[in-house]
Amino acid sequence: MIQDIGRGRFHNTYRPDAQPSAESRILFYRGREILVKRKDKEISFLKYEEVRKAFPSLSQKAVFLFSIDDVDFFYFSEFEDELFLPKLFPGFAWEGIECMRTTASKEAAFAGVTGMQLYGWYKSRRFCPACGRRMVHSQKERMMHCEACGQMEYPKICPAVIVAVTDGDRILLTKYADRANRNYALIAGFAEIGETIEETVEREVMEEVGLKVKNIRYYKSQPWSFTDTLLMGFFCEVDGESRISLDETELSVGKWCTREEIPENDGVSLTREMMAVFKSGKIPA
């Protein structure tokens, strides 16, 4: 999965006073695009020494994001020369953040999407949602706070479920309605206020395909920074009638498939791994 970065170790301890070194990486974003240098399926990011040489008068403080092993990652919160960056750094170009799903650079992919999640949160929390004053960075934890009214804002993390519904040797596969991605998926949805995560599983399955489920078993979790989501995967069994009643506003396809009918896929998502686990016959008891 995308957070599986081999021998690399991700460190997200908050370090507000951290200063970039020459080898630190600077992540630049423009909406849903990220600045990368590509060589075949490998990607890389700008080093701080490269940015300083191009902008010797840069006075803005770099904001620390996280580190992977001994490499620190930063970004500039109000950098205004994004349009000219590819011209200043040969080989670099803006690419959609979805490129992180296919690159062979595992550490870079995880850094790119995780940085984007923080970038988006910082950008949307520049001003207090309660009184409109400018917010400032906390010196104790990763939090933005308003010195005028005391409002505190923490990173946005949305809990959601991925559900593999099984019926003996069959698994329920779906396709989303009105989405560019036409691959098969599993039932998925966000937790609502006041419900347990197990109740989320039951509700989402009933809403999307009209089925009752039993024997809900937790499988694994995954941070999915493309959508600010913390995914929690579950296997469960259909309880009673297996006839699908499709919610066509959410799904275009909902069908029972045997292990042999599950398509091969080497994706980086929890959904893909759970489909592969069922296909192999090694689902948790």
Side-chain angles (χ1 to χ4, degrees), residues 26-264:
I26 306 297
L27 301 178
F28 286 103
Y29 299 94
R30 187 179 65 173
R32 296 281 296 178
E33 295 180 313
I34 184 171
L35 188 72
V36 298
K37 186 174 185 179
R38 179 177 293 277
K39 183 177 180 182
D40 298 325
K41 289 189 176 182
E42 301 283 344
I43 61 169
S44 59
F45 306 116
L46 283 167
K47 296 180 180 179
Y48 181 67
E49 61 180 350
E50 297 175 292
V51 178
R52 289 295 301 177
K53 288 179 181 179
F55 300 96
S57 60
L58 185 65
S59 59
Q60 183 186 155
K61 179 183 176 181
V63 178
F64 174 76
L65 296 174
F66 47 77
S67 61
I68 295 179
D69 290 335
D70 297 326
V71 179
D72 292 336
F73 290 78
F74 294 79
Y75 93 110
F76 292 105
S77 61
E78 297 182 12
F79 194 83
E80 297 180 350
D81 295 313
E82 291 94 341
L83 183 64
F84 305 103
L85 287 174
K87 298 179 181 178
L88 293 173
F89 301 105
F92 281 85
W94 292 109
E95 292 195 27
I97 195 66
E98 293 296 322
C99 72
M100 298 293 118
R101 299 182 68 165
T102 56
T103 178
S105 309
K106 293 184 177 181
E107 293 182 6
F110 184 62
V113 295
T114 306
M116 186 200 68
Q117 183 174 4
L118 287 170
Y119 154 80
W121 174 70
Y122 278 129
K123 186 176 181 180
S124 65
R125 297 301 187 275
R126 289 178 295 179
F127 298 96
C128 177
C131 72
R133 301 289 184 87
R134 190 85 180 188
M135 300 198 85
V136 298
H137 292 261
S138 168
Q139 291 301 302
K140 296 181 180 180
E141 56 186 333
R142 196 182 300 280
M143 180 263 287
M144 301 292 288
H145 69 97
C146 177
E147 296 178 318
C149 72
Q151 177 77 11
M152 296 184 293
E153 294 287 323
Y154 290 89
K156 177 184 176 183
I157 303 174
C158 306
V161 297
I162 298 292
V163 188
V165 183
T166 66
D167 181 26
D169 290 331
R170 303 188 301 170
I171 188 172
L172 180 61
L173 299 186
T174 66
K175 289 186 178 182
Y176 294 112
D178 302 322
R179 288 198 189 180
N181 187 345
R182 305 303 298 166
N183 292 329
Y184 279 110
L186 301 174
I187 297 291
F190 291 99
E192 298 287 353
I193 291 173
E195 67 183 5
T196 66
I197 205 69
E198 291 82 6
E199 289 170 338
T200 302
V201 170
E202 295 174 333
R203 175 181 55 77
E204 286 293 341
V205 176
M206 176 57 69
E207 287 180 352
E208 295 192 3
V209 291
L211 297 175
K212 292 182 179 181
V213 295
K214 62 183 180 180
N215 194 19
I216 299 171
R217 293 100 69 200
Y218 172 74
Y219 170 66
K220 189 181 289 188
S221 65
Q222 177 180 41
W224 193 248
S225 294
F226 294 99
T227 54
D228 302 330
T229 307
L230 177 60
L231 297 172
M232 286 159 273
F234 292 86
F235 282 90
C236 59
E237 299 164 8
V238 66
D239 185 6
E241 175 62 49
S242 63
R243 184 175 63 86
I244 296 169
S245 178
L246 199 67
D247 178 0
E248 295 182 354
T249 63
E250 293 284 338
L251 303 174
S252 62
V253 174
K255 60 182 293 188
W256 291 107
C257 295
T258 64
R259 289 184 170 88
E260 293 72 23
E261 293 172 322
I262 299 174
E264 297 287 346

